[in-house]
């Protein structure tokens, strides 16, 4: 019964969280990505920053 609960829990987590491969390159939050912008916590280059040149 414990094994069934573990598998069910793993499947539930798999539905909620996206799959990321072990070799995925995720930019670090706060790093400059282009002039005037930083990476946000999701890895998207969208946060406006006056210190990124």
């Amino acid at each position: 019964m414990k094994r069934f609960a573990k598998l069910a829990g793993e499947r539930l987590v798999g539905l909620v969280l996206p799959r990321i491969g072990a070799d995925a390159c995720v930019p670090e939050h706060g790093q400059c990505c282009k002039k005037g912008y930083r990476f946000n916590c999701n890895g998207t280059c969208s946060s406006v920053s006056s210190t990124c040149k």
Side-chain angles (χ1 to χ4, degrees):
M1 193 67 173
K2 287 182 184 180
R3 180 176 166 91
F4 176 75
K6 181 179 178 184
L7 290 174
E10 288 176 358
R11 287 185 182 186
L12 182 60
V13 169
L15 291 173
V16 177
L17 298 177
R19 291 194 178 259
I20 298 175
D23 60 341
C25 179
V26 179
E28 198 169 319
H29 172 68
Q31 286 183 334
C32 295
C33 51
K34 65 181 180 180
K35 186 176 180 179
Y37 291 89
R38 292 187 180 276
F39 289 111
N40 67 13
C41 61
N42 297 322
T44 306
C45 185
S46 64
S47 299
V48 177
S49 172
S50 60
T51 58
C52 288
K53 298 179 184 199

